[in-house]
Amino acid sequence: VVALCNCASKFKKASRKYPWSFILFNDVVISGNHAYAGGTIGLISLDISDPFSPEEVSVGRDNYGEMTYGSIEDVVVAGEYAYITSYGQLAIVSIKDPERIWVVTSTDEVSASGVAAHGKYAYVSDWEQGLLVFDISDPKHGEKPEKIGEYRIFFADAEDVMISNEQAYVSCEGILGGV
């Protein structure tokens, strides 16, 4: 994490409980005074209220106390939840308490790369299946997100998805296509 300002001498890295040299971050999203970074050790919550001295406050855990699923590809925050994709999974992480982030539920029936959340749906770009739509209207009870739709993309791997004006846009091997 680097603070951007007019004064280059004030740039700092966030303090870490793990050696920086072993961690790669694939995505970061900001919500309020916290940044959620997904990388090779899972999802990390950082307090960024002081942009010149961000502090790690939590590492995502599942119900068994283990770190969140491996290397995270994409992170999106909507309300009290972060939606993350990692190798073969879509996970919903409670971020209500940024000092105790934990996996509420997940599904492992995907080859997920990207995720977007809009209303009561999560849209997942899947390398093998294309665009998948999951019902995420009630994650509190630990039920696996239910797949309610899909849009097959042939001859290309879906890499990322964005939602704008009620449209899902999926990038595939460098090609941007609207669905």
Side-chain angles (χ1 to χ4, degrees):
V1 176
V2 177
L4 300 179
C5 66
N6 292 330
C7 181
S9 65
K10 293 185 179 181
F11 285 5
K12 284 187 177 180
K13 290 182 183 177
S15 65
R16 291 241 3 106
K17 297 176 185 172
Y18 307 97
W20 276 94
S21 59
F22 298 109
I23 300 170
L24 299 174
F25 291 104
N26 295 323
D27 200 12
V28 64
V29 63
I30 295 173
S31 180
N33 286 330
H34 289 86
Y36 300 92
T40 56
I41 67 162
L43 186 67
I44 297 171
S45 171
L46 298 160
D47 181 342
I48 57 170
S49 55
D50 178 355
F52 297 108
S53 186
E55 293 289 328
E56 178 184 314
V57 293
S58 182
V59 176
R61 306 284 178 183
D62 64 15
N63 292 333
Y64 305 103
E66 300 295 320
M67 283 191 229
T68 50
Y69 308 100
S71 185
I72 293 175
E73 294 292 317
D74 201 8
V75 180
V76 170
V77 168
E80 298 177 353
Y81 299 97
Y83 301 88
I84 63 173
T85 55
S86 63
Y87 297 115
Q89 300 188 36
L90 164 66
I92 301 174
V93 179
S94 173
I95 59 168
K96 185 175 183 177
D97 178 1
E99 295 187 15
R100 186 182 172 271
I101 59 176
W102 57 280
V103 177
V104 176
T105 187
S106 66
T107 183
D108 57 4
E109 54 191 74
V110 297
S111 297
S113 54
V115 63
H118 183 71
K120 61 181 189 172
Y121 303 108
Y123 300 86
V124 174
S125 55
D126 182 287
W127 292 306
E128 297 171 3
Q129 300 178 63
L131 176 65
L132 305 178
V133 182
F134 289 88
D135 182 344
I136 56 169
S137 58
D138 190 20
K140 291 180 185 176
H141 295 99
E143 299 289 326
K144 285 188 173 193
E146 179 185 357
K147 184 168 81 171
I148 59 169
E150 66 182 77
Y151 182 86
R152 293 280 183 180
I153 300 171
F154 296 99
F155 309 113
D157 295 335
E159 294 180 4
D160 203 3
V161 59
M162 297 295 290
I163 305 295
S164 178
N165 297 324
E166 305 299 318
Q167 297 278 327
Y169 294 87
V170 180
S171 64
C172 304
E173 296 178 342
I175 301 168
L176 182 63
V179 178

mmCIF file of all heavy atoms in Angstrom, residues 109-145:
data_model
loop_
_atom_site.group_PDB
_atom_site.id
_atom_site.type_symbol
_atom_site.label_atom_id
_atom_site.label_comp_id
_atom_site.label_asym_id
_atom_site.label_seq_id
_atom_site.Cartn_x
_atom_site.Cartn_y
_atom_site.Cartn_z
ATOM 1 N N GLU A 109 -17.920 -24.534 -7.279
ATOM 2 C CA GLU A 109 -18.297 -25.100 -8.567
ATOM 3 C C GLU A 109 -17.921 -24.190 -9.737
ATOM 4 O O GLU A 109 -18.538 -24.238 -10.782
ATOM 5 C CB GLU A 109 -19.794 -25.400 -8.585
ATOM 6 C CG GLU A 109 -20.642 -24.197 -8.222
ATOM 7 C CD GLU A 109 -22.095 -24.559 -7.971
ATOM 8 O OE1 GLU A 109 -22.386 -25.138 -6.920
ATOM 9 O OE2 GLU A 109 -22.924 -24.243 -8.834
ATOM 10 N N VAL A 110 -16.912 -23.370 -9.536
ATOM 11 C CA VAL A 110 -16.535 -22.413 -10.569
ATOM 12 C C VAL A 110 -15.026 -22.411 -10.794
ATOM 13 O O VAL A 110 -14.261 -22.820 -9.938
ATOM 14 C CB VAL A 110 -17.004 -20.988 -10.201
ATOM 15 C CG1 VAL A 110 -18.507 -20.910 -10.127
ATOM 16 C CG2 VAL A 110 -16.411 -20.522 -8.888
ATOM 17 N N SER A 111 -14.626 -21.927 -11.951
ATOM 18 C CA SER A 111 -13.223 -21.617 -12.242
ATOM 19 C C SER A 111 -13.137 -20.102 -12.306
ATOM 20 O O SER A 111 -12.903 -19.507 -13.351
ATOM 21 C CB SER A 111 -12.797 -22.241 -13.575
ATOM 22 O OG SER A 111 -12.882 -23.631 -13.508
ATOM 23 N N ALA A 112 -13.396 -19.473 -11.177
ATOM 24 C CA ALA A 112 -13.626 -18.036 -11.104
ATOM 25 C C ALA A 112 -12.357 -17.219 -11.293
ATOM 26 O O ALA A 112 -11.295 -17.580 -10.807
ATOM 27 C CB ALA A 112 -14.257 -17.695 -9.758
ATOM 28 N N SER A 113 -12.519 -16.120 -12.007
ATOM 29 C CA SER A 113 -11.419 -15.168 -12.136
ATOM 30 C C SER A 113 -11.852 -13.785 -11.691
ATOM 31 O O SER A 113 -11.167 -13.140 -10.927
ATOM 32 C CB SER A 113 -10.896 -15.146 -13.570
ATOM 33 O OG SER A 113 -11.949 -14.901 -14.474
ATOM 34 N N GLY A 114 -13.004 -13.306 -12.132
ATOM 35 C CA GLY A 114 -13.475 -11.978 -11.767
ATOM 36 C C GLY A 114 -14.843 -12.039 -11.131
ATOM 37 O O GLY A 114 -15.585 -13.010 -11.297
ATOM 38 N N VAL A 115 -15.194 -10.981 -10.390
ATOM 39 C CA VAL A 115 -16.500 -10.916 -9.745
ATOM 40 C C VAL A 115 -16.985 -9.481 -9.708
ATOM 41 O O VAL A 115 -16.194 -8.543 -9.595
ATOM 42 C CB VAL A 115 -16.455 -11.519 -8.313
ATOM 43 C CG1 VAL A 115 -15.523 -10.720 -7.412
ATOM 44 C CG2 VAL A 115 -17.847 -11.626 -7.709
ATOM 45 N N ALA A 116 -18.301 -9.308 -9.841
ATOM 46 C CA ALA A 116 -18.972 -8.030 -9.655
ATOM 47 C C ALA A 116 -20.234 -8.307 -8.856
ATOM 48 O O ALA A 116 -20.861 -9.358 -9.036
ATOM 49 C CB ALA A 116 -19.322 -7.392 -10.995
ATOM 50 N N ALA A 117 -20.586 -7.416 -7.949
ATOM 51 C CA ALA A 117 -21.805 -7.569 -7.158
ATOM 52 C C ALA A 117 -22.723 -6.401 -7.467
ATOM 53 O O ALA A 117 -22.284 -5.247 -7.526
ATOM 54 C CB ALA A 117 -21.475 -7.610 -5.672
ATOM 55 N N HIS A 118 -23.994 -6.727 -7.687
ATOM 56 C CA HIS A 118 -24.987 -5.700 -7.994
ATOM 57 C C HIS A 118 -26.334 -6.169 -7.449
ATOM 58 O O HIS A 118 -26.842 -7.203 -7.870
ATOM 59 C CB HIS A 118 -25.059 -5.477 -9.510
ATOM 60 C CG HIS A 118 -26.005 -4.402 -9.912
ATOM 61 N ND1 HIS A 118 -25.748 -3.077 -9.686
ATOM 62 C CD2 HIS A 118 -27.212 -4.457 -10.512
ATOM 63 C CE1 HIS A 118 -26.755 -2.349 -10.153
ATOM 64 N NE2 HIS A 118 -27.659 -3.180 -10.651
ATOM 65 N N GLY A 119 -26.863 -5.432 -6.474
ATOM 66 C CA GLY A 119 -28.126 -5.829 -5.874
ATOM 67 C C GLY A 119 -27.988 -7.166 -5.166
ATOM 68 O O GLY A 119 -27.078 -7.364 -4.372
ATOM 69 N N LYS A 120 -28.880 -8.087 -5.492
ATOM 70 C CA LYS A 120 -28.838 -9.394 -4.830
ATOM 71 C C LYS A 120 -28.135 -10.455 -5.664
ATOM 72 O O LYS A 120 -28.299 -11.646 -5.439
ATOM 73 C CB LYS A 120 -30.248 -9.847 -4.454
ATOM 74 C CG LYS A 120 -31.189 -10.031 -5.599
ATOM 75 C CD LYS A 120 -32.550 -10.459 -5.081
ATOM 76 C CE LYS A 120 -33.452 -10.851 -6.236
ATOM 77 N NZ LYS A 120 -34.686 -11.440 -5.764
ATOM 78 N N TYR A 121 -27.310 -10.011 -6.619
ATOM 79 C CA TYR A 121 -26.626 -10.957 -7.502
ATOM 80 C C TYR A 121 -25.117 -10.719 -7.529
ATOM 81 O O TYR A 121 -24.641 -9.591 -7.450
ATOM 82 C CB TYR A 121 -27.158 -10.851 -8.930
ATOM 83 C CG TYR A 121 -28.637 -11.079 -9.020
ATOM 84 C CD1 TYR A 121 -29.495 -10.026 -9.278
ATOM 85 C CD2 TYR A 121 -29.180 -12.341 -8.806
ATOM 86 C CE1 TYR A 121 -30.870 -10.226 -9.343
ATOM 87 C CE2 TYR A 121 -30.543 -12.552 -8.862
ATOM 88 C CZ TYR A 121 -31.387 -11.497 -9.129
ATOM 89 O OH TYR A 121 -32.746 -11.697 -9.174
ATOM 90 N N ALA A 122 -24.378 -11.818 -7.661
ATOM 91 C CA ALA A 122 -22.945 -11.758 -7.940
ATOM 92 C C ALA A 122 -22.751 -12.302 -9.346
ATOM 93 O O ALA A 122 -23.315 -13.338 -9.708
ATOM 94 C CB ALA A 122 -22.156 -12.600 -6.935
ATOM 95 N N TYR A 123 -21.987 -11.588 -10.122
ATOM 96 C CA TYR A 123 -21.677 -11.984 -11.493
ATOM 97 C C TYR A 123 -20.222 -12.426 -11.506
ATOM 98 O O TYR A 123 -19.336 -11.666 -11.120
ATOM 99 C CB TYR A 123 -21.901 -10.807 -12.450
ATOM 100 C CG TYR A 123 -23.330 -10.317 -12.413
ATOM 101 C CD1 TYR A 123 -23.744 -9.386 -11.463
ATOM 102 C CD2 TYR A 123 -24.256 -10.804 -13.321
ATOM 103 C CE1 TYR A 123 -25.055 -8.952 -11.425
ATOM 104 C CE2 TYR A 123 -25.570 -10.372 -13.289
ATOM 105 C CZ TYR A 123 -25.963 -9.444 -12.331
ATOM 106 O OH TYR A 123 -27.272 -9.028 -12.287
ATOM 107 N N VAL A 124 -19.991 -13.647 -11.942
ATOM 108 C CA VAL A 124 -18.657 -14.233 -11.890
ATOM 109 C C VAL A 124 -18.192 -14.572 -13.295
ATOM 110 O O VAL A 124 -18.916 -15.238 -14.045
ATOM 111 C CB VAL A 124 -18.653 -15.508 -11.012
ATOM 112 C CG1 VAL A 124 -17.306 -16.212 -11.066
ATOM 113 C CG2 VAL A 124 -19.025 -15.164 -9.574
ATOM 114 N N SER A 125 -17.000 -14.107 -13.642
ATOM 115 C CA SER A 125 -16.405 -14.540 -14.908
ATOM 116 C C SER A 125 -15.677 -15.845 -14.620
ATOM 117 O O SER A 125 -14.894 -15.948 -13.677
ATOM 118 C CB SER A 125 -15.451 -13.479 -15.460
ATOM 119 O OG SER A 125 -14.474 -13.128 -14.521
ATOM 120 N N ASP A 126 -15.991 -16.841 -15.417
ATOM 121 C CA ASP A 126 -15.490 -18.194 -15.211
ATOM 122 C C ASP A 126 -14.721 -18.606 -16.457
ATOM 123 O O ASP A 126 -15.250 -18.550 -17.567
ATOM 124 C CB ASP A 126 -16.675 -19.132 -14.958
ATOM 125 C CG ASP A 126 -16.253 -20.548 -14.688
ATOM 126 O OD1 ASP A 126 -15.820 -21.231 -15.640
ATOM 127 O OD2 ASP A 126 -16.363 -20.986 -13.537
ATOM 128 N N TRP A 127 -13.469 -19.022 -16.279
ATOM 129 C CA TRP A 127 -12.620 -19.364 -17.422
ATOM 130 C C TRP A 127 -13.257 -20.427 -18.308
ATOM 131 O O TRP A 127 -13.101 -20.404 -19.514
ATOM 132 C CB TRP A 127 -11.259 -19.860 -16.962
ATOM 133 C CG TRP A 127 -10.420 -18.817 -16.312
ATOM 134 C CD1 TRP A 127 -10.082 -17.604 -16.834
ATOM 135 C CD2 TRP A 127 -9.821 -18.876 -15.025
ATOM 136 N NE1 TRP A 127 -9.303 -16.904 -15.952
ATOM 137 C CE2 TRP A 127 -9.117 -17.673 -14.822
ATOM 138 C CE3 TRP A 127 -9.798 -19.835 -14.022
ATOM 139 C CZ2 TRP A 127 -8.414 -17.394 -13.673
ATOM 140 C CZ3 TRP A 127 -9.092 -19.548 -12.872
ATOM 141 C CH2 TRP A 127 -8.410 -18.345 -12.708
ATOM 142 N N GLU A 128 -13.966 -21.376 -17.711
ATOM 143 C CA GLU A 128 -14.514 -22.494 -18.467
ATOM 144 C C GLU A 128 -15.980 -22.312 -18.855
ATOM 145 O O GLU A 128 -16.399 -22.762 -19.912
ATOM 146 C CB GLU A 128 -14.361 -23.783 -17.651
ATOM 147 C CG GLU A 128 -12.919 -24.134 -17.383
ATOM 148 C CD GLU A 128 -12.765 -25.282 -16.402
ATOM 149 O OE1 GLU A 128 -13.783 -25.844 -15.960
ATOM 150 O OE2 GLU A 128 -11.618 -25.599 -16.072
ATOM 151 N N GLN A 129 -16.782 -21.664 -17.992
ATOM 152 C CA GLN A 129 -18.223 -21.607 -18.211
ATOM 153 C C GLN A 129 -18.736 -20.266 -18.721
ATOM 154 O O GLN A 129 -19.911 -20.139 -19.034
ATOM 155 C CB GLN A 129 -18.961 -21.952 -16.916
ATOM 156 C CG GLN A 129 -18.640 -23.335 -16.388
ATOM 157 C CD GLN A 129 -19.364 -23.606 -15.089
ATOM 158 O OE1 GLN A 129 -20.578 -23.645 -15.041
ATOM 159 N NE2 GLN A 129 -18.599 -23.788 -14.016
ATOM 160 N N GLY A 130 -17.918 -19.219 -18.761
ATOM 161 C CA GLY A 130 -18.367 -17.908 -19.214
ATOM 162 C C GLY A 130 -18.811 -17.039 -18.057
ATOM 163 O O GLY A 130 -18.135 -16.958 -17.036
ATOM 164 N N LEU A 131 -19.975 -16.405 -18.196
ATOM 165 C CA LEU A 131 -20.521 -15.536 -17.152
ATOM 166 C C LEU A 131 -21.530 -16.325 -16.330
ATOM 167 O O LEU A 131 -22.485 -16.883 -16.878
ATOM 168 C CB LEU A 131 -21.205 -14.317 -17.776
ATOM 169 C CG LEU A 131 -21.901 -13.373 -16.798
ATOM 170 C CD1 LEU A 131 -20.889 -12.703 -15.869
ATOM 171 C CD2 LEU A 131 -22.696 -12.322 -17.559
ATOM 172 N N LEU A 132 -21.320 -16.357 -15.020
ATOM 173 C CA LEU A 132 -22.237 -17.053 -14.110
ATOM 174 C C LEU A 132 -22.911 -16.031 -13.212
ATOM 175 O O LEU A 132 -22.300 -15.038 -12.814
ATOM 176 C CB LEU A 132 -21.473 -18.061 -13.247
ATOM 177 C CG LEU A 132 -20.625 -19.085 -13.992
ATOM 178 C CD1 LEU A 132 -19.885 -19.975 -12.994
ATOM 179 C CD2 LEU A 132 -21.480 -19.915 -14.923
ATOM 180 N N VAL A 133 -24.183 -16.283 -12.882
ATOM 181 C CA VAL A 133 -24.942 -15.385 -12.015
ATOM 182 C C VAL A 133 -25.357 -16.167 -10.776
ATOM 183 O O VAL A 133 -25.943 -17.256 -10.880
ATOM 184 C CB VAL A 133 -26.185 -14.826 -12.739
ATOM 185 C CG1 VAL A 133 -26.932 -13.842 -11.831
ATOM 186 C CG2 VAL A 133 -25.799 -14.160 -14.053
ATOM 187 N N PHE A 134 -25.044 -15.608 -9.597
ATOM 188 C CA PHE A 134 -25.377 -16.246 -8.326
ATOM 189 C C PHE A 134 -26.299 -15.349 -7.520
ATOM 190 O O PHE A 134 -26.137 -14.129 -7.501
ATOM 191 C CB PHE A 134 -24.106 -16.498 -7.500
ATOM 192 C CG PHE A 134 -23.234 -17.573 -8.056
ATOM 193 C CD1 PHE A 134 -22.257 -17.286 -8.998
ATOM 194 C CD2 PHE A 134 -23.390 -18.887 -7.642
ATOM 195 C CE1 PHE A 134 -21.454 -18.277 -9.517
ATOM 196 C CE2 PHE A 134 -22.589 -19.888 -8.154
ATOM 197 C CZ PHE A 134 -21.620 -19.589 -9.093
ATOM 198 N N ASP A 135 -27.243 -15.977 -6.826
ATOM 199 C CA ASP A 135 -28.119 -15.265 -5.890
ATOM 200 C C ASP A 135 -27.354 -15.108 -4.579
ATOM 201 O O ASP A 135 -26.979 -16.096 -3.951
ATOM 202 C CB ASP A 135 -29.395 -16.066 -5.664
ATOM 203 C CG ASP A 135 -30.377 -15.361 -4.727
ATOM 204 O OD1 ASP A 135 -29.978 -14.417 -4.010
ATOM 205 O OD2 ASP A 135 -31.539 -15.776 -4.711
ATOM 206 N N ILE A 136 -27.109 -13.853 -4.173
ATOM 207 C CA ILE A 136 -26.378 -13.573 -2.933
ATOM 208 C C ILE A 136 -27.254 -12.776 -1.971
ATOM 209 O O ILE A 136 -26.755 -12.065 -1.110
ATOM 210 C CB ILE A 136 -25.060 -12.815 -3.223
ATOM 211 C CG1 ILE A 136 -25.339 -11.536 -4.011
ATOM 212 C CG2 ILE A 136 -24.070 -13.715 -3.938
ATOM 213 C CD1 ILE A 136 -24.169 -10.588 -4.119
ATOM 214 N N SER A 137 -28.572 -12.906 -2.119
ATOM 215 C CA SER A 137 -29.499 -12.076 -1.354
ATOM 216 C C SER A 137 -29.475 -12.339 0.145
ATOM 217 O O SER A 137 -29.849 -11.482 0.933
ATOM 218 C CB SER A 137 -30.925 -12.235 -1.890
ATOM 219 O OG SER A 137 -31.330 -13.584 -1.826
ATOM 220 N N ASP A 138 -29.046 -13.524 0.587
ATOM 221 C CA ASP A 138 -29.062 -13.836 2.011
ATOM 222 C C ASP A 138 -27.819 -14.618 2.431
ATOM 223 O O ASP A 138 -27.902 -15.790 2.775
ATOM 224 C CB ASP A 138 -30.328 -14.631 2.345
ATOM 225 C CG ASP A 138 -30.528 -14.774 3.845
ATOM 226 O OD1 ASP A 138 -29.946 -13.992 4.616
ATOM 227 O OD2 ASP A 138 -31.274 -15.689 4.234
ATOM 228 N N PRO A 139 -26.656 -13.962 2.449
ATOM 229 C CA PRO A 139 -25.437 -14.693 2.800
ATOM 230 C C PRO A 139 -25.291 -14.983 4.292
ATOM 231 O O PRO A 139 -24.482 -15.814 4.686
ATOM 232 C CB PRO A 139 -24.322 -13.763 2.321
ATOM 233 C CG PRO A 139 -24.914 -12.411 2.369
ATOM 234 C CD PRO A 139 -26.381 -12.590 2.060
ATOM 235 N N LYS A 140 -26.075 -14.326 5.147
ATOM 236 C CA LYS A 140 -25.900 -14.444 6.594
ATOM 237 C C LYS A 140 -26.070 -15.860 7.121
ATOM 238 O O LYS A 140 -25.504 -16.213 8.134
ATOM 239 C CB LYS A 140 -26.889 -13.528 7.321
ATOM 240 C CG LYS A 140 -26.605 -12.068 7.138
ATOM 241 C CD LYS A 140 -27.607 -11.228 7.867
ATOM 242 C CE LYS A 140 -27.364 -9.762 7.565
ATOM 243 N NZ LYS A 140 -28.355 -8.904 8.171
ATOM 244 N N HIS A 141 -26.856 -16.666 6.463
ATOM 245 C CA HIS A 141 -27.166 -17.989 6.992
ATOM 246 C C HIS A 141 -26.210 -19.079 6.512
ATOM 247 O O HIS A 141 -26.435 -20.255 6.758
ATOM 248 C CB HIS A 141 -28.617 -18.351 6.659
ATOM 249 C CG HIS A 141 -29.582 -17.444 7.349
ATOM 250 N ND1 HIS A 141 -30.171 -16.383 6.713
ATOM 251 C CD2 HIS A 141 -30.012 -17.411 8.631
ATOM 252 C CE1 HIS A 141 -30.942 -15.738 7.563
ATOM 253 N NE2 HIS A 141 -30.864 -16.339 8.736
ATOM 254 N N GLY A 142 -25.155 -18.711 5.818
ATOM 255 C CA GLY A 142 -24.132 -19.671 5.437
ATOM 256 C C GLY A 142 -24.494 -20.593 4.284
ATOM 257 O O GLY A 142 -23.763 -21.519 3.989
ATOM 258 N N GLU A 143 -25.628 -20.345 3.646
ATOM 259 C CA GLU A 143 -26.014 -21.153 2.491
ATOM 260 C C GLU A 143 -25.087 -20.840 1.327
ATOM 261 O O GLU A 143 -24.726 -19.689 1.104
ATOM 262 C CB GLU A 143 -27.462 -20.867 2.084
ATOM 263 C CG GLU A 143 -28.478 -21.178 3.153
ATOM 264 C CD GLU A 143 -28.647 -22.658 3.380
ATOM 265 O OE1 GLU A 143 -28.542 -23.419 2.404
ATOM 266 O OE2 GLU A 143 -28.863 -23.052 4.540
ATOM 267 N N LYS A 144 -24.713 -21.875 0.574
ATOM 268 C CA LYS A 144 -23.893 -21.628 -0.609
ATOM 269 C C LYS A 144 -24.654 -20.747 -1.587
ATOM 270 O O LYS A 144 -25.865 -20.921 -1.748
ATOM 271 C CB LYS A 144 -23.535 -22.945 -1.297
ATOM 272 C CG LYS A 144 -22.482 -23.733 -0.593
ATOM 273 C CD LYS A 144 -22.053 -24.909 -1.433
ATOM 274 C CE LYS A 144 -20.870 -25.578 -0.767
ATOM 275 N NZ LYS A 144 -20.220 -26.525 -1.656
ATOM 276 N N PRO A 145 -23.955 -19.810 -2.232
ATOM 277 C CA PRO A 145 -24.634 -19.007 -3.241
ATOM 278 C C PRO A 145 -25.207 -19.921 -4.326
ATOM 279 O O PRO A 145 -24.535 -20.840 -4.786
ATOM 280 C CB PRO A 145 -23.528 -18.122 -3.811
ATOM 281 C CG PRO A 145 -22.444 -18.146 -2.792
ATOM 282 C CD PRO A 145 -22.549 -19.462 -2.094
#
